[in-house]
Amino acid sequence: DLSGRPQTCYTVSAVAITAGSPATITHGLGTKNVMVSLIDHTTGDAVDVGWVAASTNTITITVAVDETFDGVIGTSGCVQ
């Protein structure tokens, strides 16, 4: 039973980002110490993106080409 435990994972689905236009994703995990794992929404292939922990509850992602992706943002306790 995981009730009462702090949230450790935040999932995203079909997030579209335009090249040259940074996008902010709010994950609400309360820390800058996060891991980001993203895959192409269509192919399932790993996506190479630039990201920074902009605050304790957000990351900012930049891409070189227009991209739609799925993924997980999490802390060390994240299990998906």
Side-chain angles (χ1 to χ4, degrees), residues 7-12 25-29 71-75 78 80:
Q7 180 181 353
T8 59
C9 301
Y10 181 81
T11 58
V12 294
I25 295 177
T26 301
H27 54 71
L29 297 172
V72 177
I73 302 162
T75 64
C78 179
Q80 286 286 296

Side-chain angles (χ1 to χ4, degrees), residues 5-70:
R5 293 183 65 186
Q7 180 181 353
T8 59
C9 301
Y10 181 81
T11 58
V12 294
S13 180
V15 175
I17 298 180
T18 303
S21 297
T24 298
I25 295 177
T26 301
H27 54 71
L29 297 172
T31 181
K32 286 186 168 187
N33 187 15
V34 295
M35 300 169 285
V36 179
S37 178
L38 304 174
I39 59 171
D40 183 278
H41 179 70
T42 303
T43 67
D45 294 335
V47 177
D48 185 25
V49 300
W51 67 273
V52 296
S55 76
T56 58
N57 289 308
T58 63
I59 63 168
T60 300
I61 297 174
T62 56
V63 293
V65 296
D66 294 357
E67 190 77 60
T68 300
F69 62 87
D70 303 324

